[in-house]
Amino acid sequence: MSMFRPDLLNGHKILVTGGGTGLGKSMAEAYAAHGAEVVIWGRRGPVLAEAAAEMQEKTGGTVIPMAVDIRNAGAIDEAMEEIFATGPLTGLVNNAAGNFISRTEDLSANAFNAIASIVAHGTFNTTVAAGKRWIAGGHRGSIISIVTTWVWTGSPFTVPSAMSKAGVAAMTQSLAVEWGPKGIRANAIAPGPFPTKGAWERLMPEPLAKKTGAGTGASDIPMRRFGEHEELANLAIFLMAPGCDYLSGEVIAIDGAQWLASGGNFHQLTKLDAEDWEMIGQAIRSTNQKDRSQRTT
Ligand code: HXC
């Protein structure tokens, strides 16, 4: 059950990148359920269209799917122009991300780019595409970027993600100051373990889960459970809502106090051997291969 009035976001227009699956979909649906017009971006057209139809059906709201790969700066600008042509966004959620676990010494320059081009470059380009239009039109705006608690701890075995997410946290703090006088807020949410297919298959692939039990229990989390998507959505609604206008420049963890208790997420992986990493790499690549074959852009 929602903790907010169903009309709380009436008149809002919010873009959620990576809004067709996982945490992005949960936040997008919650915005639509509270009266906002929602636009979702993602790489796989059919997946997005299906998610949008499902959300509209469930919420009675408006959800517009647009197949946009945020690794492509030109595509971002074109799509943003199209969105603003029918009225300015009021909010942007930078949720799209890529990540997989690997020993850092096994990563090629291309592997680093696969993550950084989405998380660092894609987030920057999307934010600027919205921000410059807000500034030019004299509109207010609110940016929420989804990061991780690794922005404070770093994270072994996910170095490109930790570096890129730390950059997004720095962007959040910087823009809160630079764009604050223009009525634009920037905040970030650092979710802990909220199970989703995209992240779990790449961060807890089956051979790893079997060997270590990682991802199967919540005994290291002080709250002794994983997060519910609705709990994350509540925070995402709160940060967009009227009445939240003085909150800017913050990175807010929502993780059952996990990071305070255990620091970085993957330190246990230092116990794995070369054969384990071979199996894990194959499992992740086969997931990536499956996803690529469904893409339309
Ligand atoms: C070493 C690997 C590898 C592995 C891929 N590569 N997997 N290297 N170990 N396990 C290398 C490849 O060999 C290649 O380099 C390069 O990375 C790119 O590989 P592709 O398969 O072409 O990648 P791509 O199709 O671009 O897909 C990668 C991806 C994908 C974009 C990162 O995982 C994806 O689409 N993810 C979206 C969903 C997702 O990941 N969500 C989770 C976000 S979780 P070479 O040199 O061979 O060409 C998150 C934080 C979670 O952000 C926090 C939880 C607490």
Side-chain angles (χ1 to χ4, degrees):
M1 209 192 54
S2 172
M3 58 200 276
F4 300 111
R5 284 168 33 178
D7 62 349
L8 187 69
L9 298 176
N10 275 3
H12 287 240
K13 181 174 175 183
I14 301 171
L15 167 63
V16 182
T17 66
T21 54
L23 301 183
K25 185 180 176 196
S26 298
M27 291 185 282
E29 184 176 314
Y31 288 137
H34 290 81
E37 178 184 338
V38 178
V39 183
I40 54 174
W41 283 3
R43 287 176 290 179
R44 294 172 294 170
V47 172
L48 277 180
E50 198 180 311
E54 185 194 318
M55 288 187 239
Q56 293 205 133
E57 167 89 30
K58 258 171 105 174
T59 64
T62 304
V63 182
I64 300 158
M66 293 176 90
V68 179
D69 184 339
I70 64 162
R71 291 175 297 187
N72 180 341
I76 289 174
D77 208 59
E78 255 175 49
M80 199 64 86
E81 187 63 30
E82 198 181 320
I83 291 175
F84 273 71
T86 60
L89 285 176
T90 56
L92 162 66
V93 181
N94 288 311
N95 164 77
N99 200 1
F100 52 79
I101 52 166
S102 170
R103 292 179 298 192
T104 304
E105 63 269 32
D106 292 341
L107 293 175
S108 63
N110 202 24
F112 180 86
N113 285 340
I115 308 302
S117 62
I118 303 173
V119 181
H121 299 201
T123 299
F124 174 82
N125 289 327
T126 306
T127 302
V128 172
K132 70 183 183 190
R133 289 176 172 85
W134 281 328
I135 292 166
H139 306 297
R140 302 174 75 78
S142 174
I143 303 157
I144 299 174
S145 297
I146 304 302
V147 296
T148 65
T149 55
W150 311 334
V151 304
W152 299 303
T153 60
S155 181
F157 304 102
T158 49
V159 168
S161 169
M163 289 172 68
S164 301
K165 295 282 194 186
V168 173
M171 180 193 82
T172 298
Q173 293 175 315
S174 309
L175 290 182
V177 176
E178 186 177 333
W179 289 354
K182 300 178 194 304
I184 299 169
R185 294 186 297 125
N187 290 290
I189 298 176
F194 287 81
T196 63
K197 193 170 180 309
W200 245 231
E201 279 180 353
R202 293 168 176 97
L203 299 175
M204 307 290 173
E206 209 176 293
L208 172 64
K210 273 200 187 127
K211 168 135 185 168
T212 65
T216 55
S219 56
D220 292 342
I221 303 167
M223 296 305 290
R224 298 288 186 267
R225 65 174 175 86
F226 295 135
E228 304 279 348
H229 284 214
E230 196 184 25
E231 294 173 312
L232 174 68
N234 283 338
L235 178 55
I237 293 171
F238 170 76
L239 287 173
M240 283 296 179
C244 205
D245 284 337
Y246 207 50
L247 204 171
S248 193
E250 288 300 314
V251 181
I252 302 171
I254 174 164
D255 72 340
Q258 184 193 35
W259 85 272
L260 291 171
S262 61
N265 287 52
F266 293 117
H267 59 93
Q268 315 90 324
L269 305 194
T270 52
K271 294 179 191 137
L272 299 184
D273 59 24
E275 201 183 312
D276 297 326
W277 281 111
E278 180 58 31
M279 270 194 303
I280 288 166
Q282 276 175 16
I284 292 172
R285 284 190 171 92
S286 114
T287 296
N288 291 346
Q289 175 63 39
K290 239 186 302 158
D291 270 18
R292 262 201 309 279
S293 65
Q294 295 178 305
R295 278 180 214 157
T296 52
T297 57

XYZ file of all heavy atoms in Angstrom, residues 43 71 97-102 106-111 114-115 118 148 150 161 165 191-193 198-200 202-203 265 280-281 284-285 288 291-292 295, ligand 1:
353
model
N 16.975 0.118 -23.938
C 17.563 -0.282 -25.211
C 16.674 -1.233 -26.004
O 16.800 -1.356 -27.202
C 18.924 -0.961 -24.965
C 19.990 0.012 -24.564
C 21.276 -0.706 -24.245
N 21.157 -1.477 -23.008
C 22.127 -2.220 -22.495
N 23.267 -2.325 -23.122
N 21.952 -2.859 -21.361
N 24.063 5.269 -24.361
C 25.469 5.348 -24.788
C 25.608 6.250 -26.016
O 26.718 6.570 -26.425
C 26.001 3.946 -25.103
C 26.133 3.097 -23.856
C 26.533 1.691 -24.188
N 25.511 1.022 -25.004
C 25.543 -0.266 -25.317
N 26.535 -1.022 -24.892
N 24.589 -0.801 -26.041
N 21.830 1.447 -15.973
C 23.198 1.107 -15.549
C 23.618 -0.210 -16.165
O 22.800 -0.950 -16.703
C 23.262 1.007 -14.027
N 24.898 -0.484 -16.127
C 25.420 -1.774 -16.521
C 26.481 -2.168 -15.512
O 27.143 -1.286 -14.948
N 26.624 -3.453 -15.289
C 27.603 -3.883 -14.291
C 27.785 -5.390 -14.395
O 26.882 -6.096 -14.810
C 27.079 -3.543 -12.883
C 28.182 -3.489 -11.847
O 29.354 -3.691 -12.161
N 27.814 -3.213 -10.620
N 28.961 -5.892 -14.089
C 29.154 -7.332 -13.883
C 30.367 -7.515 -12.995
O 31.222 -6.631 -12.930
C 29.319 -8.098 -15.209
C 30.373 -7.535 -16.132
C 31.722 -7.797 -15.911
C 30.009 -6.767 -17.219
C 32.693 -7.283 -16.765
C 30.967 -6.247 -18.087
C 32.313 -6.510 -17.849
N 30.417 -8.624 -12.290
C 31.605 -8.857 -11.460
C 32.710 -9.484 -12.303
O 32.447 -10.297 -13.193
C 31.313 -9.755 -10.227
C 30.619 -11.050 -10.639
C 30.557 -9.018 -9.171
C 30.607 -12.092 -9.540
N 33.916 -9.087 -12.008
C 35.083 -9.660 -12.687
C 36.334 -9.273 -11.895
O 36.349 -8.223 -11.247
C 35.202 -9.086 -14.106
O 36.442 -9.440 -14.683
N 41.351 -8.837 -15.290
C 40.814 -9.491 -16.487
C 40.065 -8.519 -17.397
O 39.574 -8.908 -18.453
C 39.812 -10.598 -16.092
C 40.483 -11.762 -15.396
O 41.719 -11.905 -15.535
O 39.784 -12.523 -14.705
N 39.902 -7.272 -16.970
C 39.077 -6.339 -17.742
C 39.869 -5.688 -18.872
O 40.969 -5.180 -18.651
C 38.524 -5.238 -16.832
C 37.516 -5.678 -15.778
C 37.158 -4.511 -14.868
C 36.260 -6.254 -16.439
N 39.285 -5.676 -20.070
C 39.877 -4.953 -21.199
C 39.388 -3.507 -21.160
O 38.453 -3.166 -20.416
C 39.429 -5.607 -22.516
O 38.019 -5.500 -22.631
N 40.004 -2.680 -22.016
C 39.542 -1.286 -22.120
C 38.082 -1.265 -22.556
O 37.277 -0.449 -22.095
C 40.407 -0.528 -23.130
N 37.731 -2.225 -23.398
C 36.353 -2.297 -23.891
C 35.375 -2.670 -22.772
O 34.239 -2.177 -22.716
C 36.314 -3.346 -25.016
C 35.140 -3.144 -25.940
O 34.625 -2.031 -26.044
N 34.710 -4.214 -26.573
N 35.829 -3.550 -21.890
C 34.970 -3.945 -20.762
C 34.723 -2.741 -19.849
O 33.603 -2.516 -19.378
C 35.621 -5.083 -19.982
N 32.239 -0.571 -21.524
C 30.875 -1.119 -21.530
C 30.100 -0.593 -20.319
O 28.903 -0.318 -20.407
C 30.912 -2.649 -21.518
N 30.784 -0.427 -19.204
C 30.128 0.073 -17.978
C 30.126 1.608 -17.959
O 29.079 2.237 -17.756
C 30.871 -0.432 -16.713
C 31.047 -1.950 -16.748
C 30.161 0.028 -15.449
C 29.809 -2.745 -16.853
N 27.744 3.725 -20.122
C 26.345 3.820 -19.663
C 26.286 4.685 -18.393
O 25.593 5.703 -18.336
C 25.766 2.419 -19.324
C 25.857 1.485 -20.521
C 24.326 2.551 -18.840
C 25.464 0.038 -20.214
N 25.247 3.650 -5.805
C 25.376 2.527 -4.874
C 26.152 3.034 -3.658
O 26.764 4.109 -3.705
C 26.197 1.351 -5.470
O 27.535 1.830 -5.660
C 25.643 0.866 -6.779
N 28.785 1.972 -2.850
C 30.208 1.893 -3.227
C 30.792 3.271 -3.471
O 32.002 3.426 -3.596
C 30.388 1.046 -4.497
C 29.669 -0.272 -4.462
C 29.324 -0.978 -3.335
C 29.178 -1.022 -5.576
N 28.664 -2.126 -3.691
C 28.557 -2.178 -5.054
C 29.210 -0.834 -6.949
C 27.969 -3.148 -5.875
C 28.636 -1.799 -7.761
C 28.025 -2.939 -7.229
N 32.222 0.036 -12.279
C 30.955 0.542 -11.740
C 31.208 1.466 -10.554
O 30.623 2.552 -10.462
C 30.059 -0.628 -11.305
O 28.964 -0.152 -10.566
N 29.961 5.214 -10.667
C 28.918 5.649 -9.720
C 29.464 6.759 -8.809
O 28.728 7.693 -8.452
C 28.428 4.469 -8.868
C 27.705 3.378 -9.649
C 26.281 3.769 -9.982
C 25.451 2.575 -10.448
N 24.109 2.958 -10.918
N 20.682 2.390 -3.446
C 19.938 1.234 -2.956
C 20.880 0.096 -2.605
O 21.885 -0.117 -3.273
C 19.060 0.817 -4.141
C 19.276 1.828 -5.223
C 20.576 2.524 -4.914
N 20.579 -0.636 -1.571
C 21.313 -1.860 -1.237
C 20.705 -3.008 -2.014
O 20.322 -2.847 -3.175
N 20.607 -4.174 -1.395
C 20.130 -5.347 -2.125
C 18.613 -5.363 -2.326
O 17.858 -5.690 -1.411
C 20.576 -6.520 -1.236
C 20.683 -5.941 0.128
C 21.023 -4.488 -0.022
N 18.315 -8.277 -13.896
C 19.487 -7.733 -14.590
C 20.723 -7.725 -13.708
O 21.799 -8.173 -14.099
N 20.585 -7.217 -12.489
C 21.743 -7.109 -11.608
C 22.119 -8.465 -11.025
O 23.294 -8.828 -10.987
C 21.451 -6.123 -10.482
N 21.135 -9.223 -10.589
C 21.436 -10.489 -9.904
C 22.179 -11.465 -10.817
O 23.106 -12.138 -10.392
C 20.141 -11.105 -9.369
C 20.066 -11.191 -7.864
C 19.744 -12.318 -7.144
C 20.299 -10.150 -6.884
N 19.762 -12.011 -5.800
C 20.099 -10.719 -5.610
C 20.669 -8.817 -6.972
C 20.265 -9.987 -4.433
C 20.829 -8.079 -5.809
C 20.626 -8.668 -4.565
N 24.220 -10.813 -13.084
C 25.585 -10.380 -13.375
C 26.419 -10.206 -12.116
O 27.642 -10.205 -12.157
C 25.553 -9.086 -14.178
C 24.971 -9.300 -15.569
C 24.667 -8.005 -16.246
N 24.206 -8.210 -17.612
C 22.925 -8.240 -17.960
N 21.985 -8.105 -17.051
N 22.593 -8.420 -19.223
N 25.729 -10.020 -10.994
C 26.473 -9.814 -9.738
C 26.460 -11.061 -8.859
O 27.323 -11.231 -7.998
C 25.891 -8.616 -8.978
C 25.962 -7.275 -9.726
C 25.255 -6.175 -8.954
C 27.402 -6.880 -10.010
N 30.636 -4.720 -0.859
C 29.784 -5.899 -1.027
C 30.515 -7.184 -1.378
O 30.046 -8.261 -1.071
C 28.788 -5.662 -2.166
C 27.714 -4.697 -1.784
O 28.017 -3.611 -1.309
N 26.472 -5.076 -1.945
N 32.195 -18.120 -13.911
C 31.386 -16.908 -13.694
C 31.363 -16.047 -14.950
O 30.319 -15.576 -15.396
C 31.952 -16.115 -12.489
C 31.640 -16.863 -11.201
C 31.384 -14.704 -12.439
C 32.428 -16.366 -9.996
N 32.562 -15.891 -15.574
C 32.666 -15.091 -16.796
C 31.765 -15.651 -17.887
O 31.048 -14.921 -18.564
N 28.035 -14.900 -17.180
C 27.659 -13.500 -17.409
C 27.607 -13.200 -18.909
O 26.676 -12.568 -19.407
C 28.658 -12.549 -16.717
C 28.515 -12.670 -15.198
C 28.429 -11.101 -17.160
C 29.584 -11.929 -14.406
N 28.628 -13.726 -19.646
C 28.648 -13.444 -21.089
C 27.430 -14.051 -21.772
O 26.877 -13.480 -22.702
C 29.926 -13.987 -21.718
C 31.123 -13.113 -21.406
C 32.330 -13.511 -22.230
N 33.382 -12.539 -22.063
C 34.348 -12.633 -21.146
N 34.394 -13.656 -20.329
N 35.274 -11.690 -21.049
N 24.625 -11.655 -21.224
C 24.770 -10.475 -22.088
C 24.353 -10.803 -23.518
O 23.678 -10.028 -24.188
C 26.216 -9.975 -22.082
C 26.611 -9.381 -20.740
O 25.758 -9.103 -19.903
N 27.905 -9.194 -20.533
N 20.614 -10.942 -23.922
C 20.031 -9.591 -23.916
C 20.248 -8.903 -25.252
O 19.363 -8.242 -25.782
C 20.694 -8.726 -22.832
C 19.946 -8.840 -21.525
O 19.177 -9.810 -21.390
O 20.140 -7.972 -20.666
N 21.481 -9.061 -25.788
C 21.807 -8.372 -27.047
C 20.896 -8.835 -28.163
O 20.458 -8.065 -28.992
C 23.262 -8.634 -27.430
C 24.205 -7.516 -27.023
C 25.478 -7.561 -27.825
N 26.082 -8.873 -27.812
C 26.841 -9.360 -26.833
N 27.105 -8.615 -25.778
N 27.341 -10.566 -26.880
N 17.728 -6.830 -28.457
C 17.732 -5.374 -28.619
C 17.278 -4.940 -29.993
O 17.564 -5.593 -30.979
C 19.155 -4.824 -28.416
C 19.475 -4.661 -26.964
C 20.874 -4.111 -26.842
N 21.483 -4.671 -25.655
C 22.797 -4.763 -25.460
N 23.644 -4.334 -26.375
N 23.265 -5.278 -24.352
C 35.480 -9.899 -17.996
C 33.796 -9.233 -19.467
C 32.822 -9.962 -18.721
C 33.291 -10.692 -17.575
C 31.832 -8.977 -20.381
N 33.151 -8.661 -20.466
N 31.602 -9.781 -19.329
N 35.111 -9.196 -19.096
N 34.591 -10.625 -17.251
N 32.445 -11.378 -16.830
C 33.802 -7.843 -21.496
C 33.640 -8.439 -22.877
O 34.624 -9.445 -23.127
C 33.866 -7.207 -23.759
O 35.238 -6.861 -23.847
C 33.208 -6.104 -22.953
O 33.168 -6.552 -21.596
C 31.809 -5.822 -23.402
O 31.081 -7.055 -23.400
P 29.679 -7.218 -24.125
O 29.160 -8.585 -23.875
O 29.778 -6.719 -25.542
O 28.866 -6.185 -23.275
P 27.474 -5.543 -23.512
O 26.620 -6.307 -24.469
O 27.739 -4.101 -23.753
O 26.841 -5.791 -22.074
C 27.504 -5.416 -20.910
C 26.556 -4.638 -20.080
C 25.443 -5.612 -19.716
C 26.104 -3.397 -20.788
C 27.289 -4.167 -18.870
O 25.790 -6.270 -18.549
C 24.128 -4.988 -19.625
O 23.468 -4.794 -20.635
N 23.680 -4.665 -18.429
C 22.419 -3.972 -18.193
C 21.767 -4.501 -16.981
C 22.648 -4.488 -15.783
O 23.840 -4.825 -15.857
N 22.114 -4.110 -14.687
C 22.829 -4.212 -13.472
C 23.194 -2.910 -12.939
S 23.631 -3.176 -11.269
P 36.164 -7.273 -25.129
O 37.482 -6.639 -24.823
O 36.187 -8.774 -25.138
O 35.480 -6.702 -26.344
C 24.383 -1.849 -10.688
C 24.717 -1.789 -9.214
C 24.077 -2.852 -8.368
O 24.670 -0.962 -11.385
C 24.387 -2.670 -6.895
C 23.856 -3.797 -6.043
C 24.151 -3.617 -4.587
